[in-house]
Amino acid sequence: MVYHTDGMILSPVREVFHGEVNDVLVCQDLRSPVRACYTLIAVKDRVTAKRLLAVLENGRRESAGEEPYLRLFSENDRLCLLFEYRGERRLDRFAEGQLTAMRDREHTAVNLVMACLSSPLPFPLLFLALSGGNTHLSQDGGVYFTCYFDLARLDESIGEPQCVDRCVEVLLSLLQRSSRRQLKSFELLRKKAKRDAYNAFPELYRDIRITALPDEKTSLRQRIKGAWQRNRDMLFRVLLRVCAVVAVLALVILISQLIFGDFPLLRLFQNTFETIGTEDLTIT
């Protein structure tokens, strides 16, 4: 099914989620010169569509100052929300290999709280973003959300306290595995979470900042290890391409030797002053 809005022709290239009340698709804009990709939520259930519209209308966040979506439109009997697309790097999968130092984990913890503070998503949708693999880790330690939502789980009563509680769960999981010696930030979050002491994200941000390890210059070994963790995928792709080029070149040389008994390019490395025609001047 192709979707249309504001001069855009959105053609699905991947179905991320298929549910009873909504689908989530990655679409390409066929009218874009660069074939830009977007995330599309298509709501099929009318009751869910009404509930979602109420959340978007009544749950506007004053700190955001913008709509959480790029486009809101209908296609046939479906309510559609269009979002920016970003590739997936799930926090629960990439943190273990990328965040090797305690300071890196605390830095990412701060970034997660900042992402929650700055997100324009209403709290019922932010709660879904903090669940179900929608929290992602960029290569520089930043945190961002995807909108791969199962709207059957949408709860209009969710507010900031519930989102903060869910965020604390993610933070504790992130900080707990950093070392055998527990961080001060982890201990403080764990104690206050038991008392349900958090009701707002600014409180959570303040506690992480005041208990975080002080910044210090990282060693050369840590910088090299961090650079390897961030760029190993790219280095592997480069190495794979170099190996492919070498293999093709070797095959061309082999075929040339079999057919012509020579490879013309190798003559560049031959001493022309010692060889004239069929005469080799080095032979006495």
Side-chain angles (χ1 to χ4, degrees), residues 42-99:
V43 185
K44 302 175 286 186
D45 179 68
R46 291 186 177 182
V47 175
T48 303
K50 291 180 179 179
R51 292 172 58 210
L52 178 59
L53 288 174
V55 166
L56 294 172
E57 180 64 27
N58 303 324
R60 296 178 185 272
R61 299 176 60 182
E62 296 179 0
S63 60
E66 60 180 1
E67 297 290 354
Y69 49 81
L70 298 176
R71 300 282 191 280
L72 175 65
F73 63 99
S74 60
E75 183 77 29
N76 295 332
D77 59 344
R78 298 187 174 194
L79 175 69
C80 301
L81 277 77
L82 192 67
F83 299 88
E84 291 184 357
Y85 170 78
R86 292 191 67 174
E88 300 96 80
R89 297 186 86 251
R90 287 180 52 165
L91 178 65
D92 56 357
R93 294 178 181 175
F94 282 84
E96 192 67 31
Q98 180 175 331
L99 306 177

Side-chain angles (χ1 to χ4, degrees), residues 56-281:
L56 294 172
E57 180 64 27
N58 303 324
R60 296 178 185 272
R61 299 176 60 182
E62 296 179 0
S63 60
E66 60 180 1
E67 297 290 354
Y69 49 81
L70 298 176
R71 300 282 191 280
L72 175 65
F73 63 99
S74 60
E75 183 77 29
N76 295 332
D77 59 344
R78 298 187 174 194
L79 175 69
C80 301
L81 277 77
L82 192 67
F83 299 88
E84 291 184 357
Y85 170 78
R86 292 191 67 174
E88 300 96 80
R89 297 186 86 251
R90 287 180 52 165
L91 178 65
D92 56 357
R93 294 178 181 175
F94 282 84
E96 192 67 31
Q98 180 175 331
L99 306 177
T100 56
M102 292 185 292
R103 186 171 293 99
D104 293 337
R105 289 183 177 269
E106 287 187 324
H107 176 69
T108 298
V110 171
N111 288 338
L112 173 56
V113 180
M114 287 298 298
C116 293
L117 279 166
S118 60
S119 174
L121 290 170
F123 289 122
L125 294 181
L126 180 60
F127 186 84
L128 296 179
L130 287 165
S131 311
N134 282 304
T135 306
H136 303 273
L137 176 67
S138 63
Q139 292 187 348
D140 62 357
V143 176
Y144 60 95
F145 302 120
T146 51
C147 298
Y148 302 160
F149 301 148
D150 176 7
L151 295 178
R153 300 169 54 205
L154 180 65
D155 184 352
E156 302 98 313
S157 66
I158 293 289
E160 186 172 7
Q162 291 85 358
C163 289
V164 174
D165 289 343
R166 177 59 188 138
C167 184
V168 170
E169 293 177 10
V170 179
L171 292 174
L172 290 176
S173 176
L174 178 66
L175 297 173
Q176 184 177 21
R177 296 176 293 181
S178 60
S179 173
R180 285 177 291 183
R181 178 176 60 86
Q182 295 296 356
L183 295 167
K184 291 182 179 180
S185 55
F186 171 82
E187 292 294 346
L188 179 59
L189 292 183
R190 183 175 60 83
K191 291 178 181 178
K192 295 189 72 170
K194 285 184 177 180
R195 306 196 309 265
D196 293 326
Y198 290 116
N199 291 301
F201 282 111
E203 302 170 15
L204 187 58
Y205 175 79
R206 181 198 60 210
D207 282 353
I208 296 177
R209 292 293 297 178
I210 64 177
T211 57
L213 293 172
D215 291 334
E216 63 181 28
K217 188 176 180 180
T218 57
S219 65
L220 178 62
R221 180 179 179 182
Q222 288 177 325
R223 291 198 296 269
I224 293 175
K225 187 175 182 179
W228 164 251
Q229 292 289 349
R230 291 190 299 271
N231 300 302
R232 59 183 178 182
D233 292 342
M234 182 189 68
L235 293 174
F236 175 77
R237 290 194 294 269
V238 171
L239 182 61
L240 187 64
R241 291 174 183 175
V242 170
C243 292
V245 171
V246 171
V248 171
L249 183 60
L251 181 62
V252 171
I253 293 175
L254 177 62
I255 294 175
S256 178
Q257 290 285 357
L258 292 175
I259 297 177
F260 305 107
D262 188 16
F263 185 62
L265 187 60
L266 295 179
R267 295 174 187 171
L268 296 175
F269 305 100
Q270 187 177 20
N271 191 335
T272 56
F273 293 99
E274 295 180 355
T275 305
I276 301 177
T278 59
E279 295 295 329
D280 190 347
L281 302 182

